[in-house]
Amino acid sequence: QSVLTQPPSVSGAPGQRVTISCTGSSSNIGAGYDAIWYQQFPGTAPKLLLFASTYRPSGVPDRFSGSKSGTSASLAITGLQAEDEADYYCQSYDSSLSGYVFGTGTKVTVL
Amino acid sequence: EVQLVESGGGLVKPGGSLRLSCAASGFTFSSYTMNWVRQAPGKGLEWVSSISSSSSYIYYADSMTGRFIISRDNAKNSLYLQMNSLRAEDTAVYYCAKESPGGDAFDFWGQGTMVTVSS
């Protein structure tokens, strides 16, 4: 069972801005551990999208951005494009579990 | 180019064992912590286990402790996962993932290998 909670789905029209929340607790995001975000297309491996809560690996478009506050983190996609339709997962480290934890996952649909 | 190629998946009966392998190339394997992450069909990602660069530090998710054993051979640029006492709920795609230089993030993933536990 995931300890990071995400909305099951979000949707938006092309060009719009959508945000995905990732709610944790005082033993993970709230303890100061980074939120990491991944993008996954059906049948393929996840791809790193953001690390250290706000940094993008090279090659990731700047329409993807992240933030963190308290026990939560957020991923924002601005200027939504059809190719952004995928599943998105947050991840962090949990000190009470002494291991990594993933979010429940969010499916982004481009209308 | 970083490449991670998993192998060893397949169909196994409940209670059985399986050993997964992950062949790494394109980076200095011996310098990085490596992880296994799994994904049950239609479900989300679940971290399985982590092993530090020199195998000094090993961690498991609670549900895997005592049944799974992670190991690595830096001379062969390979990561392994020995899975014992397999259960139906272990059915998943198993990915090996390289940890980023700063730690915490998984910056490269393999394509995954499917493990099906069924009688």
Side-chain angles (χ1 to χ4, degrees), chain A residues 38 40 45-46 89 91 100 102, chain B residues 39 44-45 99 104 106 109-110:
Chain A
Y38 300 92
Q40 185 181 34
Y89 294 91
Q91 176 234 315
Y100 295 114
F102 284 94
Chain B
Q39 187 171 34
L45 301 169
E99 203 156 302
D104 289 356
F106 306 144
W109 298 62

Side-chain angles (χ1 to χ4, degrees), chain A residues 13-64:
Chain A
Q16 283 190 330
R17 179 178 187 270
V18 296
T19 62
I20 301 170
S21 60
C22 173
T23 303
S25 67
S26 58
S27 60
N28 43 68
I29 297 173
Y33 295 105
D34 287 326
I36 293 98
W37 291 91
Y38 300 92
Q39 178 189 58
Q40 185 181 34
F41 296 105
T44 69
K47 169 192 167 186
L48 180 63
L49 201 62
L50 292 174
F51 63 97
S53 301
T54 61
Y55 293 91
R56 290 182 303 275
S58 62
V60 174
D62 60 5
R63 63 177 184 275
F64 294 94

Side-chain angles (χ1 to χ4, degrees), chain B residues 8 17 19-20 33 46 66 94 98 110:
Chain B
S17 298
R19 189 194 195 206
L20 305 184
T33 294
E46 180 182 23
Y94 285 73
K98 171 187 169 292

